[in-house]
Amino acid sequence: MDSHEEASSSESDYEEILQESGSDTSVESFSNSSSNSGVSADLSLVRNWCELQPDAPAPPAFPFTAVPAVNLDTTDEWSILQYFEAFLDDGLITHIVNETNRYADQKKRGTNWFPVTSAEMRVFLGLTILQSVVKKPELRQYWSKNPLLVTPFFSQCLSNKRFEAIHQNLHFSNNDEFDEASHPNPQLNKIWPVYDCLVTKFREAITPEKYIAIDESLLLYKGRLGWIQYIPLKRARFGIKTYMLCESKSGYVWNFIIYTGKQTNLDADYKDLPVSSQVVMTLLKPLLNLGYTLTMDNFYNSPQLADLLLTHKTDVYGTLRLSRKEVPNELKSKKLKKGETASYQRGKVTILKWKDKKRNCVDFYCSFKYLCGDRKEGKQSLLEALESWITMAGSFIEL
């Protein structure tokens, strides 16, 4: 039997299960469902949960119709620096320079201030990134002449006073144009132009491969901010939470949303859904109806969300909290011995429960593999690129 016959046999077996679950929706009708169904899609075709046998065939995946690609005009000789500048390009640097100079003029910082240039801003940003690699307890110690602390590279690129002056005036948006009533996210108005620009560039640069994942990241921050989050399982524990959609194979961040409490910027089309589902649909919206396969953890997963994603030709995998709505009561109450499984299906949605040692289910995580190879080699290449970027910009600065 060839692969085509095996696939046909699998779909035939699966259609029998659909009929048992009370659904008259065939595999073909799932694949051909309308892309315009939206949140109010009619899910009445999916009716009852039915228990599955261990040898039941898996639901067939939707055909993947996107064309994965790197949409940058690159060559094999491109360095890390060139990829970096594809995102932090001249337009974005010029915007930061203009807003920094505007803010300094508004605040009238004194006679010692003179307008910052694009070359200086590149050096400033490069040194700021370098400070996350070469760590010292105080900022002024990077310019110290003490033999025990000296780091001559910093003083060769930019003086301490000039660095602090740029740092004090660094700005990304025009305060005079801010209107809280019309702004997409007032909480992020200070960084919004840069944030919006980077999200757009991330999405335009890559068409991700079929397998993608959604999870949250935590940026360490202990300052005063109303939406600081505490997540004990994260390395930082305290910080700014970001919802991220990543390509599973490379770990590339394709889309992200910064959490700002009730004012988090979520798509209004999904306002009637639970917040966790709104996050998923907002991140995933440009990739719907293309046959992507999404993996996420039990913070996001629910039968309701799975049904919605199916109407948009998107497969989904992940762990599930048994306390979610629409989980069958029979599965919740079923007692299992070690190594036993139980599964229920409704339409194309399947829930599997198993017991491993003392737990009723095993947590599943999607691990990302980065393409930069060995971690030490990747870090060394990044340092070399950073040095080139600072040195190239610094050649235009008169200290």
Side-chain angles (χ1 to χ4, degrees):
M1 181 181 294
D2 58 24
S3 59
H4 179 71
E5 291 174 341
E6 290 178 356
S8 299
S9 176
S10 174
E11 291 186 359
S12 177
D13 293 340
Y14 178 67
E15 287 185 355
E16 293 180 4
I17 296 174
L18 285 179
Q19 294 173 0
E20 292 178 8
S21 68
S23 173
D24 55 359
T25 305
S26 66
V27 176
E28 182 180 1
S29 64
F30 270 119
S31 300
N32 297 326
S33 60
S34 173
S35 61
N36 299 320
S37 51
V39 178
S40 61
D42 183 9
L43 299 178
S44 61
L45 296 175
V46 185
R47 295 187 178 90
N48 304 316
W49 292 101
C50 71
E51 187 169 7
L52 291 179
Q53 299 303 317
D55 58 347
F62 291 112
F64 182 57
T65 58
V67 181
V70 177
N71 302 319
L72 299 173
D73 187 16
T74 64
T75 64
D76 294 337
E77 289 76 26
W78 262 41
S79 64
I80 292 180
L81 177 59
Q82 288 173 298
Y83 281 102
F84 180 76
E85 290 184 324
F87 297 98
L88 201 64
D89 59 10
D90 291 341
L92 188 54
I93 293 292
T94 300
H95 173 82
I96 297 174
V97 167
N98 292 338
E99 294 305 329
T100 298
N101 289 329
R102 187 200 311 274
Y103 181 72
D105 292 339
Q106 291 172 346
K107 292 299 180 180
K108 296 181 171 56
R109 291 296 185 180
T111 57
N112 292 330
W113 169 260
F114 55 92
V116 65
T117 64
S118 295
E120 278 186 307
M121 185 58 69
R122 282 185 167 85
V123 173
F124 172 84
L125 295 175
L127 293 179
T128 302
I129 297 172
L130 187 57
Q131 288 171 10
S132 66
V133 180
V134 182
K135 297 182 180 179
K136 296 187 179 183
E138 296 180 10
L139 182 62
R140 59 185 178 85
Q141 290 182 352
Y142 288 99
W143 285 266
S144 173
K145 295 182 180 180
N146 187 324
L148 297 176
L149 302 174
V150 64
T151 314
F153 185 75
F154 283 82
S155 57
Q156 292 171 4
C157 297
L158 208 62
S159 69
N160 184 18
K161 288 185 177 180
R162 185 57 174 167
F163 184 92
E164 290 183 350
I166 297 174
H167 186 269
Q168 290 174 357
N169 293 288
L170 185 66
H171 225 65
F172 301 136
S173 63
N174 187 354
N175 292 338
D176 295 336
E177 295 179 354
F178 172 62
D179 181 7
E180 185 174 359
S182 61
H183 198 278
N185 192 335
Q187 301 278 38
L188 298 179
N189 75 87
K190 295 293 186 181
I191 65 168
W192 184 260
V194 175
Y195 163 75
D196 189 50
C197 178
L198 288 177
V199 170
T200 301
K201 288 181 179 294
F202 288 174
R203 286 167 48 173
E204 291 177 348
I206 297 290
T207 301
E209 296 192 11
K210 178 177 181 178
Y211 296 98
I212 54 179
I214 288 178
D215 201 359
E216 61 268 8
S217 177
L218 198 67
L219 175 65
L220 178 62
Y221 185 79
K222 295 184 178 180
R224 298 178 63 182
L225 201 60
W227 56 88
I228 290 293
Q229 292 285 288
Y230 170 66
I231 305 180
L233 296 180
K234 297 293 185 182
R235 183 178 179 181
R237 295 196 301 155
F238 293 93
I240 300 171
K241 183 167 70 173
T242 305
Y243 301 110
M244 293 185 173
L245 187 155
C246 303
E247 183 186 66
S248 296
K249 181 179 179 179
S250 64
Y252 178 84
V253 178
W254 190 82
N255 197 2
F256 66 97
I257 299 170
I258 299 175
Y259 172 81
T260 56
K262 293 182 179 180
Q263 294 189 4
T264 301
N265 190 36
L266 301 174
D267 197 307
D269 290 345
Y270 309 109
K271 62 182 180 180
D272 295 330
L273 296 175
V275 174
S276 58
S277 298
Q278 290 183 52
V279 170
V280 173
M281 298 304 295
T282 302
L283 288 170
L284 196 60
K285 189 174 183 178
L287 302 180
L288 295 175
N289 301 301
L290 296 175
Y292 278 93
T293 298
L294 172 66
T295 301
M296 51 191 175
D297 63 22
N298 58 26
F299 175 77
Y300 307 96
N301 253 331
S302 69
Q304 178 191 26
L305 178 59
D307 286 336
L308 178 57
L309 290 173
L310 289 178
T311 66
H312 292 286
K313 301 181 184 178
T314 302
D315 291 300
V316 58
Y317 299 89
T319 51
L320 176 70
R321 298 176 184 176
L322 291 178
S323 59
R324 294 288 192 190
K325 292 181 179 180
E326 301 182 17
V327 173
N329 293 325
E330 298 86 347
L331 188 64
K332 292 180 182 179
S333 59
K334 188 177 285 289
K335 303 297 182 182
L336 300 176
K337 297 180 180 179
K338 180 180 177 181
E340 288 185 340
T341 64
S343 56
Y344 283 78
Q345 186 164 355
R346 184 184 68 181
K348 198 184 177 185
V349 179
T350 303
I351 300 177
L352 173 68
K353 177 181 179 181
W354 71 94
K355 186 169 184 179
D356 179 73
K357 296 182 179 179
K358 296 182 179 181
R359 303 184 65 182
N360 282 332
C361 62
V362 177
D363 290 335
F364 171 76
Y365 295 95
C366 182
S367 60
F368 297 142
K369 292 176 64 178
Y370 290 86
L371 297 178
C372 62
D374 182 78
R375 186 174 181 179
K376 293 183 179 179
E377 290 182 6
K379 186 175 182 180
Q380 183 62 32
S381 299
L382 178 60
L383 287 175
E384 292 173 357
L386 194 58
E387 182 181 5
S388 300
W389 200 58
I390 295 173
T391 304
M392 182 174 62
S395 63
F396 299 99
I397 298 176
E398 296 182 4
L399 298 178

